[in-house]
Amino acid sequence: MADMSVTLCGLKLDNPVIPASGVFGYGAEFKDFYDINILGSFSFKGTTKEPRFGNPTPRIAECCCGMINSIGLQNPGIEAVISEELPNISTYFKKPVIANVGGYSVSEFVYCAEMLSEAPQVGIIEVNISCPNIHRGGANFASDPKSAAEVTAAVRKVSKKPIFIKLSPNVTSIADVARACEDAGADGLSLINTLLGMRIDIKRARPVIANKAGGFSGRAIFPVALRMVYDTAAAVKIPIMGMGGVATAKDVIEMMMAGATAVQIGAENLRNPFVCKEIIEELPSLMAELNIERLADIIGIAQ
Ligand code: SIN
């Protein structure tokens, strides 16, 4: 039987398939489509200290082979996530989850990561320093190695769980930022977040998105994401969760050959809510076709 298991910082996953933060909520809607316990894990919606309504609407724009979002970290806030969402998740998801944390300051990241790392259901803290939608122009803590390292070191000090730093593609060298995070104590990296993009409504001659620009994701960005995972894997020793435009079992194999230990699927879940289930079901036959017995054996073999 095909062995699809992978291990992320000591956490063994049945398979590397993980819905990405922001497209899967807390899993409650998806559990009605299929048994989400087949997933390796899932990363829940980015959590901030206070509840956030997010950015003004419109905050979604359709694009060829993808979409732009400018959600602005809408979420119920850490108190509600800990007292309501996590107990609710434990009724239908029996594996460790990935807690994605967002923030506007180092102290907010620290606060959220420390509290969520205490929760027994949380296996990994994913520190989203790369949201392009919270400051005009998309600047964030992932924009330069120094600020990325500052958040990483501060969160590392307080987290009882492995921390994965989520990196931005909107930089000159993602490998430089990755190395800075590794040196500052990151246990792993998640990449890539969305690419800054925009659309214009030609009837109104105005940007479609109220915030003007947003983060572009979806199938169109897969080659960009793959290249960045490849470069980053060559630059660091810590494990990587690869993401960006992944939509098929073949994409998962490519990401892993580039150097990802696990693979997150984002925008495609919004187009096809069954995509993760389909990928998990398709992987064994693709592995057989490629003579792969253990999926873990292909991590980084294209390097
Ligand atoms: C958002 O809530 O704006 C999306 C989060 C992200 O892209 O990091």
Side-chain angles (χ1 to χ4, degrees):
M1 208 178 87
D3 180 356
M4 295 197 285
S5 66
V6 293
T7 304
L8 277 177
C9 300
L11 187 67
K12 189 168 181 201
L13 309 182
D14 292 337
N15 61 67
V17 178
I18 299 173
S21 175
V23 299
F24 208 74
Y26 302 93
E29 292 79 11
F30 284 82
K31 75 170 185 340
D32 297 333
F33 288 123
Y34 62 93
D35 179 7
I36 63 171
N37 287 287
I38 63 168
L39 298 167
S41 180
F42 71 87
S43 180
F44 62 66
K45 178 64 190 162
T47 302
T48 52
K49 190 172 179 186
E50 307 297 338
R52 285 185 51 80
F53 177 76
N55 291 338
T57 56
R59 49 194 192 182
I60 296 283
E62 283 189 44
C63 304
C64 182
C65 289
M67 60 176 278
I68 295 173
N69 89 79
S70 177
I71 304 301
L73 296 179
Q74 179 179 0
N75 78 98
I78 192 152
E79 223 176 281
V81 168
I82 288 175
S83 63
E84 292 164 34
E85 299 298 348
L86 280 173
N88 204 21
I89 290 173
S90 69
T91 64
Y92 52 77
F93 192 67
K94 307 297 177 191
K95 296 177 173 178
V97 286
I98 299 173
N100 183 293
V101 301
Y104 286 77
S105 62
V106 176
S107 60
E108 185 174 3
F109 279 110
V110 166
Y111 182 85
C112 294
E114 184 168 22
M115 284 183 72
L116 281 165
S117 80
E118 300 277 354
Q121 296 128 288
V122 170
I124 286 172
I125 304 282
E126 184 173 60
V127 188
N128 183 10
I129 60 168
S130 51
C131 175
N133 301 324
I134 54 174
H135 298 292
R136 184 148 290 185
N140 50 54
F141 289 95
S143 297
D144 83 286
K146 201 162 159 259
S147 54
E150 190 189 353
V151 180
T152 305
V155 171
R156 180 59 279 156
K157 266 195 204 139
V158 299
S159 175
K160 297 189 172 63
K161 304 280 166 67
I163 60 166
F164 277 62
I165 310 295
K166 189 163 178 178
L167 301 182
S168 170
N170 305 307
V171 290
T172 308
S173 169
I174 198 165
D176 286 350
V177 184
R179 267 190 295 262
C181 294
E182 181 179 45
D183 291 346
D187 300 290
L189 300 166
S190 295
L191 60 135
I192 58 173
N193 205 321
T194 51
L195 290 147
L196 272 176
M198 75 181 296
R199 297 300 306 270
I200 287 179
D201 177 344
I202 56 173
K203 291 201 180 118
R204 291 189 303 117
R206 291 283 176 278
V208 172
I209 296 224
N211 219 18
K212 297 190 177 139
F216 181 44
S217 62
R219 294 188 85 152
I221 74 165
F222 179 72
V224 177
L226 188 71
R227 195 275 296 171
M228 289 195 166
V229 167
Y230 188 88
D231 283 357
T232 303
V236 299
K237 294 192 174 58
I238 49 179
I240 291 172
M241 288 194 264
M243 74 194 81
V246 176
T248 66
K250 281 187 177 150
D251 296 342
V252 169
I253 299 282
E254 278 194 61
M255 271 289 178
M256 293 185 72
M257 288 181 169
T261 297
V263 181
Q264 295 194 5
I265 291 98
E268 188 67 11
N269 281 288
L270 303 178
R271 206 188 63 81
N272 170 15
F274 296 99
V275 63
C276 290
K277 176 177 188 286
E278 289 168 7
I279 289 175
I280 292 165
E281 287 168 355
E282 204 189 322
L283 272 171
S285 58
L286 185 56
M287 286 169 68
E289 197 184 313
L290 298 170
N291 286 321
I292 300 167
E293 276 173 28
R294 291 178 64 241
L295 213 40
D297 289 342
I298 68 165
I299 298 166
I301 58 165
Q303 289 283 337

Coordinates of all heavy atoms in Angstrom, one line a residue, residues 74-105:
Q74 N -10.4 39.0 8.4 CA -11.7 38.9 9.1 C -11.7 37.6 10.0 O -11.4 36.6 9.5 CB -12.9 38.8 8.1 CG -14.2 38.7 8.8 CD -15.4 38.6 7.7 OE1 -15.1 38.6 6.5 NE2 -16.6 38.5 8.2
N75 N -12.0 37.8 11.2 CA -12.0 36.6 12.1 C -12.7 37.1 13.4 O -12.8 38.2 13.8 CB -10.6 36.1 12.3 CG -9.8 36.8 13.3 OD1 -9.7 36.5 14.5 ND2 -9.2 38.0 12.9
P76 N -13.2 36.1 14.2 CA -13.9 36.4 15.5 C -13.0 36.8 16.6 O -13.6 37.2 17.7 CB -14.7 35.2 15.8 CG -13.9 34.1 15.2 CD -13.2 34.6 14.0
G77 N -11.7 36.8 16.5 CA -10.8 37.2 17.6 C -10.4 36.0 18.4 O -11.1 35.0 18.5
I78 N -9.3 36.1 19.1 CA -8.7 34.9 19.8 C -9.6 34.3 20.9 O -9.7 33.1 21.0 CB -7.3 35.2 20.3 CG1 -6.6 33.8 20.7 CG2 -7.3 36.2 21.4 CD1 -5.1 33.8 20.5
E79 N -10.3 35.2 21.6 CA -11.1 34.7 22.7 C -12.2 33.7 22.2 O -12.4 32.6 22.7 CB -11.8 35.9 23.4 CG -11.7 35.8 24.9 CD -12.3 37.1 25.5 OE1 -11.6 38.1 25.5 OE2 -13.5 37.0 25.8
A80 N -12.9 34.2 21.1 CA -13.9 33.3 20.5 C -13.3 32.1 19.9 O -13.9 31.0 19.9 CB -14.7 34.1 19.5
V81 N -12.1 32.2 19.3 CA -11.5 31.0 18.6 C -11.2 29.9 19.7 O -11.5 28.8 19.5 CB -10.2 31.4 17.8 CG1 -9.5 30.1 17.4 CG2 -10.6 32.2 16.6
I82 N -10.7 30.4 20.9 CA -10.4 29.4 21.9 C -11.6 28.9 22.7 O -11.7 27.7 22.9 CB -9.4 30.1 22.9 CG1 -8.0 30.2 22.2 CG2 -9.2 29.3 24.2 CD1 -6.9 30.9 22.9
S83 N -12.6 29.8 22.9 CA -13.7 29.3 23.7 C -14.8 28.6 22.8 O -15.6 27.8 23.3 CB -14.3 30.5 24.5 OG -14.8 31.4 23.6
E84 N -14.9 29.0 21.5 CA -16.0 28.4 20.7 C -15.5 27.6 19.6 O -15.9 26.5 19.4 CB -16.9 29.6 20.2 CG -17.6 30.3 21.3 CD -18.2 31.7 20.8 OE1 -18.5 31.8 19.6 OE2 -18.2 32.6 21.6
E85 N -14.6 28.2 18.7 CA -14.2 27.4 17.5 C -13.4 26.1 17.8 O -13.7 25.1 17.3 CB -13.4 28.3 16.6 CG -14.1 29.6 16.1 CD -15.4 29.3 15.3 OE1 -15.6 28.1 14.9 OE2 -16.1 30.3 15.1
L86 N -12.4 26.2 18.7 CA -11.6 25.0 19.0 C -12.4 23.9 19.6 O -12.4 22.7 19.1 CB -10.4 25.4 19.8 CG -9.2 26.0 19.1 CD1 -8.1 26.4 20.0 CD2 -8.6 25.0 18.0
P87 N -13.3 24.2 20.6 CA -14.1 23.1 21.1 C -15.1 22.5 20.0 O -15.3 21.3 20.0 CB -15.0 23.7 22.2 CG -14.1 24.9 22.6 CD -13.4 25.4 21.4
N88 N -15.5 23.4 19.2 CA -16.4 22.9 18.1 C -15.6 22.0 17.1 O -16.1 21.0 16.7 CB -17.0 24.2 17.4 CG -18.2 23.9 16.6 OD1 -18.9 22.9 17.0 ND2 -18.5 24.7 15.7
I89 N -14.4 22.5 16.7 CA -13.6 21.7 15.8 C -13.4 20.3 16.4 O -13.4 19.3 15.7 CB -12.2 22.4 15.6 CG1 -12.4 23.6 14.7 CG2 -11.2 21.4 14.9 CD1 -11.1 24.5 14.6
S90 N -13.2 20.2 17.7 CA -12.8 18.9 18.3 C -14.0 17.9 18.2 O -13.8 16.7 18.3 CB -12.4 19.0 19.7 OG -13.5 19.4 20.5
T91 N -15.2 18.4 17.9 CA -16.3 17.4 17.7 C -16.3 16.8 16.4 O -16.9 15.7 16.2 CB -17.7 18.1 17.9 OG1 -17.9 19.1 16.9 CG2 -17.8 18.8 19.3
Y92 N -15.6 17.3 15.4 CA -15.7 16.7 14.1 C -14.3 16.5 13.4 O -14.2 15.8 12.4 CB -16.5 17.5 13.1 CG -16.2 19.0 13.0 CD1 -15.1 19.4 12.2 CD2 -17.0 19.9 13.6 CE1 -14.9 20.8 12.1 CE2 -16.8 21.3 13.5 CZ -15.7 21.7 12.8 OH -15.4 23.1 12.7
F93 N -13.2 17.0 14.0 CA -11.9 16.8 13.5 C -11.0 16.2 14.6 O -10.8 16.9 15.6 CB -11.3 18.1 12.9 CG -10.0 17.9 12.1 CD1 -10.1 17.2 10.9 CD2 -8.8 18.3 12.5 CE1 -9.0 17.0 10.1 CE2 -7.7 18.1 11.7 CZ -7.7 17.5 10.5
K94 N -10.5 15.0 14.4 CA -9.8 14.3 15.4 C -8.3 14.3 15.3 O -7.6 13.5 16.0 CB -10.3 12.8 15.5 CG -11.8 12.7 15.5 CD -12.3 13.3 16.8 CE -13.9 13.2 16.9 NZ -14.4 14.0 18.0
K95 N -7.7 15.2 14.5 CA -6.3 15.3 14.3 C -5.8 16.7 14.8 O -6.6 17.6 14.8 CB -5.9 15.1 12.8 CG -6.3 13.7 12.3 CD -5.9 13.7 10.8 CE -6.1 12.2 10.3 NZ -5.8 12.2 8.8
P96 N -4.5 16.8 15.0 CA -4.0 18.2 15.3 C -4.3 19.2 14.2 O -4.1 18.8 13.0 CB -2.5 18.0 15.5 CG -2.4 16.5 15.8 CD -3.5 15.8 15.0
V97 N -4.7 20.4 14.5 CA -4.9 21.4 13.5 C -3.7 22.4 13.5 O -2.9 22.5 14.4 CB -6.2 22.2 13.8 CG1 -7.4 21.4 13.4 CG2 -6.3 22.8 15.2
I98 N -3.7 23.2 12.4 CA -2.7 24.2 12.3 C -3.4 25.6 12.7 O -4.4 25.9 12.0 CB -2.1 24.3 10.9 CG1 -1.4 22.9 10.6 CG2 -1.1 25.4 10.8 CD1 -0.9 22.7 9.2
A99 N -2.9 26.2 13.7 CA -3.5 27.5 14.1 C -2.7 28.6 13.4 O -1.5 28.9 13.6 CB -3.4 27.7 15.6
N100 N -3.4 29.3 12.5 CA -2.8 30.5 11.8 C -3.0 31.7 12.6 O -4.1 32.0 12.9 CB -3.4 30.5 10.4 CG -2.8 31.6 9.5 OD1 -2.9 32.8 9.8 ND2 -2.1 31.2 8.5
V101 N -1.9 32.5 12.9 CA -2.1 33.7 13.6 C -1.7 34.9 12.8 O -0.7 34.8 12.1 CB -1.3 33.7 15.0 CG1 -1.8 32.5 15.9 CG2 0.2 33.6 14.8
G102 N -2.4 36.0 13.0 CA -2.1 37.2 12.3 C -1.8 38.3 13.3 O -2.0 38.1 14.5
G103 N -1.4 39.5 12.8 CA -1.2 40.6 13.8 C -0.7 41.8 13.1 O -0.2 41.8 12.0
Y104 N -0.8 42.9 13.9 CA -0.4 44.2 13.4 C 0.9 44.7 14.1 O 1.5 45.7 13.8 CB -1.5 45.3 13.7 CG -2.6 45.1 12.8 CD1 -3.5 44.1 12.9 CD2 -2.8 46.0 11.7 CE1 -4.6 44.0 12.0 CE2 -3.8 45.9 10.8 CZ -4.7 44.8 11.0 OH -5.7 44.7 10.1
S105 N 1.3 43.9 15.1 CA 2.5 44.2 15.9 C 3.2 43.0 16.4 O 2.5 41.9 16.4 CB 2.2 45.1 17.1 OG 1.3 44.4 18.0

